[in-house]
């Protein structure tokens, strides 16, 4: 059973994994034996990531690379293949969100979200698939979202991108499954990270933030997720244990998508 989940000798590229859920998933892959490579679009973020991995005792390699720049991604993948090894596992984690009402959102803002959250994973997958075909195996994990299934006010671009990423996941499965390449998604629920910390702060009177109350009420688990909640799913989808799982999105949301919500009092 341990061998089914072992990633010994595997090379994992986790995009945007300097902190947050990307770092948590990369840490889990490293614990399972994988060599970790990550990228960020700013040098200060790469440096932050390298310091975090060093503190965790993980010998990771970081690259300055924008996932929307196809030439830069190709160069990064070529360098990884030459200096670390063929990429066995790609986790398309890099992403952004812009919370702007649709009628107020500029086209450039909309395009920027689509570029990073959807076109970036396309570019990265396209770059690693030839090496996976040559090796006869590969794992691609796209970080989707509950917004791959649901709409919500102010996130039109994000929902469009994540819905598209779900379908890109299925299409990579359809097109490359015969080469023993599995492409699946992870759809995180609301995760307690530094980015969401303001939404969980107690109010002056000691009550929950309204959004915090909303999420707790919508989640059967009655809590926010932790980055560590994504570690097991990431290792599963990166390992031999999921060799016949393809084109699937695994929602790690505490049950939100299964739940209609509490009846108002």
């Amino acid at each position: 059973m341990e061998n089914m989940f072992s990633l010994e000798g595997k090379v994992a590229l986790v995009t945007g994994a300097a902190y947050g859920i990307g770092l948590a998933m990369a840490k889990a892959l490293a614990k399972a034996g994988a060599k970790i490579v990550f990228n960020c679009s700013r040098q200060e973020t790469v440096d932050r990531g390298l310091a975090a991995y060093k503190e965790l005792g993980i010998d990771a390699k970081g690259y300055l690379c924008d996932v929307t720049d196809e030439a830069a991604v190709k160069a990064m993948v070529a360098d990884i293949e030459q200096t670390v090894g063929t990429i066995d596992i790609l986790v398309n984690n890099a992403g952004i969100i812009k919370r702007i009402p649709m009628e107020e959102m500029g086209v450039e803002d909309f395009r920027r979200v689509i570029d990073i959250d959807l076109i970036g994973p396309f570019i990265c997958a396209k770059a690693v698939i030839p090496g996976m075909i040559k090796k006869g195996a590969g794992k691609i994990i796209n970080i989707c979202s509950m917004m791959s299934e649901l709409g919500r006010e102010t996130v039109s671009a994000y929902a469009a991108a994540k819905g598209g990423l779900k379908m890109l996941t299925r299409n990579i499965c359809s097109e490359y499954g015969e080469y023993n390449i599995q492409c699946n998604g992870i759809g995180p629920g609301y995760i307690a990270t530094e980015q969401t910390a303001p939404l969980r702060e107690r109010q002056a009177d000691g009550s929950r933030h309204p959004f915090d109350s909303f999420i707790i009420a919508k989640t059967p688990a009655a809590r926010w997720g932790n980055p560590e909640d994504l570690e097991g799913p990431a290792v599963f989808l990166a390992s031999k244990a999921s060799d016949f799982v393809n084109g699937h999105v695994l929602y790690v949301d505490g049950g939100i998508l299964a739940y209609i919500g509490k009846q108002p009092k």
Side-chain angles (χ1 to χ4, degrees):
M1 183 61 69
E2 287 182 6
N3 290 337
M4 288 183 67
F5 293 93
S6 173
L7 301 178
E8 285 294 333
K10 303 294 185 183
V11 177
L13 168 60
V14 187
T15 66
Y19 55 87
I21 66 172
L23 176 63
M25 290 185 291
K27 178 179 70 173
L29 300 181
K31 283 182 181 178
K35 299 175 184 177
I36 302 300
V37 181
F38 74 99
N39 76 288
C40 296
S41 59
R42 295 183 301 171
Q43 186 60 53
E44 57 265 36
T45 314
V46 174
D47 294 340
R48 175 183 175 181
L50 289 172
Y53 286 107
K54 185 177 181 180
E55 187 174 344
L56 291 166
I58 298 170
D59 183 18
K61 186 169 184 178
Y63 284 84
L64 177 63
C65 180
D66 184 339
V67 295
T68 69
D69 184 336
E70 185 171 13
V73 170
K74 282 184 176 179
M76 175 180 68
V77 169
D79 189 81
I80 294 168
E81 289 179 343
Q82 185 174 11
T83 60
V84 185
T86 301
I87 295 167
D88 301 285
I89 302 156
L90 167 66
V91 182
N92 278 314
N93 169 72
I96 63 168
I97 186 170
K98 290 182 180 287
R99 295 182 177 89
I100 306 170
M102 185 173 166
E103 74 273 14
E104 298 173 15
M105 188 173 219
V107 171
E108 288 308 310
D109 279 334
F110 191 93
R111 284 196 179 117
R112 183 62 178 158
V113 175
I114 298 294
D115 278 348
I116 295 174
D117 293 8
L118 180 56
I119 296 177
F122 164 77
I123 289 172
C124 292
K126 182 181 173 185
V128 304
I129 283 171
M132 291 179 173
I133 290 175
K134 188 174 181 181
K135 199 166 187 176
K139 303 281 186 175
I140 298 173
I141 303 171
N142 292 326
I143 304 308
C144 296
S145 166
M146 291 189 301
M147 298 303 112
S148 298
E149 301 290 345
L150 301 172
R152 192 169 178 274
E153 65 275 8
T154 77
V155 294
S156 58
Y158 185 78
K162 294 300 186 177
L165 188 57
K166 176 182 73 173
M167 293 311 300
L168 179 63
T169 299
R170 291 178 176 177
N171 204 78
I172 293 172
C173 155
S174 302
E175 200 162 347
Y176 296 101
E178 65 180 291
Y179 299 102
N180 194 29
I181 295 172
Q182 290 84 49
C183 182
N184 293 289
I186 293 176
Y190 285 91
I191 306 297
T193 64
E194 61 185 71
Q195 288 89 347
T196 61
L199 299 174
R200 289 176 283 107
E201 288 180 353
R202 290 282 176 172
Q203 304 298 285
D205 63 0
S207 64
R208 290 182 181 273
H209 187 289
F211 191 80
D212 186 17
S213 296
F214 167 68
I215 293 305
I216 296 300
K218 286 290 293 180
T219 308
R223 68 172 177 86
W224 288 64
N226 297 308
E228 292 74 22
D229 289 319
L230 299 167
E231 293 185 4
V235 171
F236 167 63
L237 291 178
S239 70
K240 286 185 65 62
S242 61
D243 277 358
F244 205 56
V245 178
N246 212 352
H248 175 74
V249 179
L250 174 55
Y251 290 100
V252 186
D253 65 353
I256 291 179
L257 287 174
Y259 188 41
I260 196 170
K262 292 182 179 178
Q263 180 178 335
K265 295 181 180 179

